[in-house]
Amino acid sequence: DIETYKKSIKWLIKSGFFVIRVGKAALKKLNIKSNNFVDYPFVRNKSDFLDIWLIDQCNGFISTGTGIDIVALALRKKRLLINMLPFCDINHASITINAPKKLKKLSDNSLLNIKEYSEFNHYKFHEFETQNIIIENLDEDEILEITKEFIKFFVNNQKLNKKQQSLISYFWESFFDYNKNLYKPFVNKHSMISLQWLKIHGNNFYKKTENKQ
C-alpha cells in the first residue's frame, strides 16, 4: 500500500530531499502537496529515457525489489529494499539495505526466527497460507524508521559502530548457514540487513538459532 510510504516521503521532504515516485503506471495518486515531490506515474510527459535518467541522477533508491528496481541495481545506486520476499532473495552483492516483509505464525501471531524465515522461501502467497504462515507488510512507522536508517548510513555515510557491524556480520553468517543452496560469490561490505528490522524481531530472532545444525 503506497499510503504506508507517505509518512517517510514527508519526512524526506522535510529533511531537504527531492522525492520522485518513479514508474510508468500506478493505481493511486499520492496526495502530497510539495514542490519537492513529483508523482511521476501521473505526469503526462513520460518516456523510457526519462525513467532511466531520473534513476541515474538519484542519491538513493527505495523499492520493493521488483520492476524498475533492476535499473537502479544496474546503475549501482544505493538501494533500500522494503517489503520484499522471499527471504532468500535478500540482496548481498550490492549497496543495499534489506527490510523484508514480516512473517508470522498463524497459531500465536509470533514473528518467525531466521531459521524459520529460511524454511519458507516461497514465491507464491498461497504457499505461505497452506503452511499457516501470515505475511505482514511493514507499517508506516516501521518504514519511516528504516528510511531514516537508510539516509543515515547510505546517503549521509555515517559509519556503523562495532556493535552494529557485529550484528550485520552475524546475520550474514546465519543467513548463509540456513540458505546453503544459495551461490555465495561474496558479500558486498555495504550490503546489510536493516538494523531496525532486526530490532522489530527482537532477541528471539537469534536466540533460537544459537545452536545451528
Side-chain angles (χ1 to χ4, degrees):
D1 183 0
I2 190 62
E3 288 292 327
T4 59
Y5 293 83
K6 198 171 181 178
K7 187 177 284 189
S8 295
I9 294 171
K10 288 183 175 180
W11 177 83
L12 286 167
I13 292 169
K14 188 176 180 180
S15 300
F17 292 96
F18 195 99
V19 181
I20 302 175
R21 179 190 181 191
V22 295
K24 282 191 174 181
L27 295 174
K28 186 177 182 181
K29 189 172 183 178
L30 270 173
N31 184 25
I32 296 177
K33 295 180 180 179
S34 171
N35 291 329
N36 282 2
F37 175 71
V38 174
D39 208 346
Y40 182 70
F42 298 93
V43 172
R44 286 185 179 181
N45 298 319
K46 297 190 289 287
S47 70
D48 292 340
F49 173 79
L50 188 54
D51 290 343
I52 296 170
W53 183 85
L54 287 171
I55 297 172
D56 185 52
Q57 297 301 306
C58 75
N59 292 320
F61 192 87
I62 300 174
S63 167
T64 56
T66 58
I68 202 169
D69 172 82
I70 194 68
V71 176
L73 177 62
L75 293 172
R76 298 182 180 180
K77 291 298 176 178
K78 298 173 181 179
R79 298 184 304 156
L80 169 58
L81 302 186
I82 297 177
N83 283 327
M84 43 76 64
L85 273 182
F87 187 68
C88 64
D89 278 358
I90 281 179
N91 192 287
H92 59 86
S94 64
I95 309 172
T96 304
I97 293 182
N98 299 274
K101 291 178 186 286
K102 294 176 289 186
L103 298 181
K104 293 182 175 182
K105 298 174 185 176
L106 182 62
S107 59
D108 60 6
N109 205 43
S110 64
L111 287 162
L112 304 191
N113 61 42
I114 189 169
K115 179 178 183 294
E116 293 164 333
Y117 264 93
S118 301
E119 290 172 351
F120 297 104
N121 281 323
H122 304 312
Y123 286 90
K124 296 179 180 179
F125 287 167
H126 73 84
E127 293 177 312
F128 290 95
E129 291 177 359
T130 58
Q131 294 180 297
N132 296 318
I133 298 298
I134 302 168
I135 301 172
E136 189 173 289
N137 286 330
L138 295 158
D139 65 37
E140 62 177 359
D141 292 316
E142 292 166 339
I143 291 172
L144 174 60
E145 292 308 311
I146 292 168
T147 299
K148 289 179 179 179
E149 179 185 10
F150 176 64
I151 296 300
K152 179 193 294 185
F153 294 124
F154 277 21
V155 179
N156 294 338
N157 298 314
Q158 180 173 315
K159 291 186 177 180
L160 296 163
N161 60 39
K162 288 184 178 179
K163 182 179 179 181
Q164 292 166 336
Q165 290 174 347
S166 178
L167 281 171
I168 292 166
S169 295
Y170 187 67
F171 171 81
W172 286 126
E173 177 189 340
S174 301
F175 177 78
F176 285 109
D177 275 354
Y178 292 119
N179 293 274
K180 295 183 185 297
N181 59 315
L182 295 180
Y183 175 58
K184 182 188 174 185
F186 74 100
V187 174
N188 189 303
K189 65 179 181 179
H190 299 298
S191 185
M192 58 185 277
I193 187 70
S194 163
L195 295 171
Q196 288 294 327
W197 191 86
L198 289 179
K199 185 178 179 180
I200 291 165
H201 285 72
N203 294 331
N204 286 339
F205 190 67
Y206 286 130
K207 271 187 176 179
K208 296 178 182 178
T209 64
E210 285 176 354
N211 298 318
K212 302 185 190 74
Q213 297 186 10

